[in-house]
């Protein structure tokens, strides 16, 4: 069962709280994150996902993202990190 990110936005204003929430889920071995509810993002969203990915890899897994907002994917491609979040593979299918 994926961890549902139940917020309408991931921005600099709430990224710190979400970081802790995601860190706890990853520590429990949860690597599936559903971002379907997220409608507003800024660059903090990409930084947050990269940190969650780093933590998941440290736990021996990888994030599996679903419902990724187009703006997040676009920012990740712009910054050249879409591959680190496995967003390139999803876009190709």
């Amino acid at each position: 069962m994926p961890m549902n990110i139940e917020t309408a936005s991931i921005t600099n204003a709430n990224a710190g709280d979400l970081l802790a929430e995601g860190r706890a889920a990853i520590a429990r071995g949860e690597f599936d994150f559903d971002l379907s509810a997220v409608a507003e993002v800024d660059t903090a969203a990409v930084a947050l996902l990269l940190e969650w990915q780093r933590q998941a890899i440290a736990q021996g897994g990888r994030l599996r993202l679903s419902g990724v907002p187009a703006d997040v994917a676009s920012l990740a491609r712009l910054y050249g990190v879409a591959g680190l979040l496995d967003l390139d593979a999803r876009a190709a299918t």
Side-chain angles (χ1 to χ4, degrees), residues 3-75:
M3 171 157 169
N4 293 317
I5 305 303
E6 304 271 336
T7 182
S9 65
I10 300 176
T11 65
N12 196 40
N14 66 347
D17 293 335
L18 291 170
L19 176 63
E21 187 177 328
R23 179 181 295 137
I26 291 165
R28 292 189 303 268
E30 298 176 26
F31 302 114
D32 296 319
F33 284 66
D34 183 355
L35 305 174
S36 297
V38 178
E40 177 188 0
V41 298
D42 66 15
T43 57
V46 174
L48 176 68
L49 294 177
L50 287 169
E51 178 56 20
W52 283 346
Q53 183 72 288
R54 187 194 68 75
Q55 292 171 11
I57 291 168
Q59 293 289 325
R62 285 191 73 79
L63 287 184
R64 290 178 296 273
L65 301 171
S66 61
V68 177
D71 288 347
V72 170
S74 178
L75 285 170

Side-chain angles (χ1 to χ4, degrees), residues 46-47 50 72-73 75-88:
V46 174
L50 287 169
V72 170
L75 285 170
R77 282 191 299 277
L78 177 68
Y79 298 137
V81 298
L84 297 174
L85 296 170
D86 299 328
L87 298 177
D88 285 340

